[in-house]
Amino acid sequence: MSHFWGRSMKNAASIRLLAALGTTVLSVLMPLESAGASVCFGTSANGRVSDAVALPAQGENYGPYSSLGVTLGRTHVHQTVRDIVVDAYAAAYRTMPTTLFLYGETGLSSGGAFKPHRTHQSGTSVDFMVPVLDGKGKSVALPSNALNKFGYALEFDANGKLNDLQIDFEAVAEHLHQLAIAAKKHGAPINRVIFQRELVAQLYRTKRGEYLRRSVTFMKATPWIRHDEHYHVDFTLPCRPMTDYGR
């Protein structure tokens, strides 16, 4: 089961039907979470994290990019980031209840080098896979399997199209809006978002476009790899110096 839902899952009801089974299976495979408070060290590009927690294996309107990635421990974050992500998804469920969201890779339980990513080392970064619509305009899960690198090898054009799939820009914008609100509430505002520049322009045309233009910082430089099938979000937390790690 390379993807928790598979491409055939068409609506939020399908997520709820699988939630109990998926959570049970993943809870057996995953180690128990630490009871300590998360502490980040250094930076996203050169850092570590202690007492990180895994993102929930299943939510009302969201799930992971790959159950294998969850099992391998590639979805750990600082606990404040976990709370931000969960709160934002809950808010998005209230405004867009039929939209499916997937989170991508985040980092390891102790942080540090996280290949093939250049960052994701301090528990403060999260990849979010783009929500997509099928040819009938219905929200569906992004295809995810080993052949397309669990979604990371998919390539959308400047209009957000890939075969019969269309990036749901309204859903991306709503999600970023809710992430920004939740991040401020938890005292860890969004530092930056990395998304293809031509796709950011599409976000500015959505209902939340003006808010995003005013309140969310998108990286202006061209990313080192394409960020079209996912948007990378860095949160600002008071991380300790790397020299403190392990003391």
Side-chain angles (χ1 to χ4, degrees):
M1 186 170 60
S2 63
H3 191 284
F4 189 73
W5 299 313
R7 190 175 181 182
S8 63
M9 296 306 176
K10 299 294 186 181
N11 51 48
S14 300
I15 301 174
R16 291 192 290 272
L17 289 173
L18 285 174
L21 175 61
T23 303
T24 300
V25 171
L26 290 173
S27 65
V28 172
L29 295 172
M30 293 169 58
L32 294 175
E33 300 292 1
S34 168
S38 299
V39 179
C40 57
F41 301 84
T43 67
S44 179
N46 180 28
R48 305 284 294 193
V49 60
S50 64
D51 295 305
V53 296
L55 289 177
Q58 193 65 45
E60 195 77 27
N61 59 336
Y62 68 92
Y65 72 114
S66 162
S67 58
L68 177 61
V70 174
T71 303
L72 294 176
R74 297 179 66 85
T75 58
H76 283 77
V77 292
H78 189 285
Q79 64 186 35
T80 299
V81 173
R82 186 269 313 275
D83 294 342
I84 292 168
V85 171
V86 171
D87 284 0
Y89 277 140
Y93 182 68
R94 291 190 290 271
T95 58
M96 306 183 81
T98 62
T99 299
L100 306 180
F101 293 94
L102 297 180
Y103 60 81
E105 299 204 308
T106 61
L108 303 175
S109 60
S110 59
F114 187 53
K115 294 182 177 182
H117 304 270
R118 289 188 178 184
T119 57
H120 292 261
Q121 296 193 22
S122 59
T124 58
S125 303
V126 181
D127 283 350
F128 295 100
M129 312 311 286
V130 290
V132 292
L133 303 171
D134 66 11
K136 297 180 180 179
K138 180 171 286 188
S139 181
V140 295
L142 189 75
S144 174
N145 55 60
L147 295 178
N148 64 28
K149 297 183 179 179
F150 300 100
Y152 278 92
L154 298 173
E155 291 198 3
F156 291 83
D157 66 20
N159 295 312
K161 289 280 294 181
L162 172 63
N163 300 325
D164 63 339
L165 295 177
Q166 170 68 56
I167 294 177
D168 187 345
F169 289 108
E170 289 290 346
V172 175
E174 179 65 22
H175 183 224
L176 286 171
H177 170 76
Q178 299 299 348
L179 277 174
I181 292 173
K184 288 180 180 178
K185 182 182 77 172
H186 287 281
I190 292 176
N191 178 24
R192 66 172 180 174
V193 176
I194 304 176
F195 199 34
Q196 287 298 115
R197 284 184 293 176
E198 64 272 20
L199 302 181
V200 173
Q202 299 279 358
L203 294 181
Y204 289 153
R205 300 187 181 104
T206 66
K207 182 176 69 174
R208 299 295 190 185
E210 188 55 35
Y211 175 89
L212 297 182
R213 192 185 296 274
R214 294 194 321 266
S215 305
V216 176
T217 299
F218 290 89
M219 189 176 82
K220 292 182 171 56
T222 301
W224 49 94
I225 59 170
R226 284 184 61 80
H227 282 62
D228 56 322
E229 78 295 323
H230 77 281
Y231 43 106
H232 170 110
V233 180
D234 288 319
F235 297 93
T236 304
L237 280 87
C239 297
R240 297 182 185 176
M242 274 294 286
T243 52
D244 287 354
Y245 182 72
R247 289 185 179 180

